[in-house]
Amino acid sequence: MKYAEQTTVSSERSRAEIETILGRYGASSFAYMWQGTTALILFEYKDKRIKFVLNLPSREDKTIKYTPERGTVRSREAQEKAYEQAVRQKWRALALVIKAKLEAVESGISVFEEEFMANIVLPNGQTTAEYMIPQINEAYRLNKMPPLLPMLDGGKS
């Protein structure tokens, strides 16, 4: 079962809630944008830029077009209803994640950089996750740690 899979809270209300939460916890800026099935939430907090990418369902997804029980094609109206429900669920889940991370920081359970590390935008525009995940995968593939200071290994790695 997915969190908030039966929510009636609109996507717009969830986005507004995220903006309010960020303001309450001290974010200095906020932006929202979307293109196709991808939405972005961007904000700044204590001189760090943070980006959340929210992959939304497509109206062509099998879970939207077909019923889960028998796999029959839904009516256009039922497809639109399933699509809207799936989008609402994603926005509710993102609101929960952001609120929980900020509350963990505020309560002293964690520190901001640890909670949001994967989402911190680096000077080159990549998130830390986009930068690090390929390196982590390569380290596991080779079963070898990269050099601690790669700029000092004389180009041997």
Side-chain angles (χ1 to χ4, degrees):
M1 184 167 164
K2 289 182 183 176
Y3 171 78
E5 73 180 349
Q6 299 299 318
T7 187
T8 59
V9 178
S10 72
S11 301
E12 294 79 14
R13 192 164 133 208
S14 293
R15 284 193 302 270
E17 181 181 334
I18 290 168
E19 184 175 5
T20 300
I21 289 166
L22 290 168
R24 187 173 347 136
Y25 283 93
S28 58
S29 65
F30 170 83
Y32 154 71
M33 59 191 299
W34 62 269
Q35 180 177 15
T37 59
T38 303
L40 297 177
I41 292 289
L42 305 142
F43 65 95
E44 286 187 351
Y45 182 88
K46 297 186 179 179
D47 298 323
K48 300 282 189 309
R49 289 192 176 127
I50 309 300
K51 175 173 76 173
F52 279 89
V53 177
L54 185 60
N55 294 310
L56 299 170
S58 164
R59 285 181 166 82
E60 301 304 313
D61 287 351
K62 289 180 181 177
T63 58
I64 303 299
K65 290 187 76 101
Y66 300 97
T67 62
E69 302 84 25
R70 294 196 175 126
T72 58
V73 177
R74 297 180 200 252
S75 68
R76 287 281 179 213
E77 182 179 299
Q79 286 180 34
E80 189 60 24
K81 186 176 177 180
Y83 170 77
E84 290 297 330
Q85 186 64 47
V87 170
R88 286 194 304 268
Q89 183 276 326
K90 291 275 193 172
W91 280 104
R92 290 310 301 154
L94 182 59
L96 174 69
V97 166
I98 291 172
K99 185 175 185 177
K101 286 176 173 288
L102 289 167
E103 185 56 35
V105 171
E106 183 74 17
S107 298
I109 295 168
S110 188
V111 297
F112 183 83
E113 290 79 4
E114 290 176 1
E115 282 303 316
F116 289 91
M117 185 175 294
N119 306 94
I120 294 173
V121 179
L122 299 169
N124 68 359
Q126 287 181 298
T127 62
T128 306
E130 291 166 338
Y131 180 76
M132 290 298 303
I133 289 172
Q135 294 178 62
I136 292 167
N137 289 341
E138 185 69 1
Y140 273 95
R141 186 182 73 76
L142 297 174
N143 196 28
K144 181 180 171 192
M145 290 295 296
L148 183 60
L149 298 172
M151 73 290 279
L152 300 180
D153 75 350
K156 295 175 187 169
S157 60

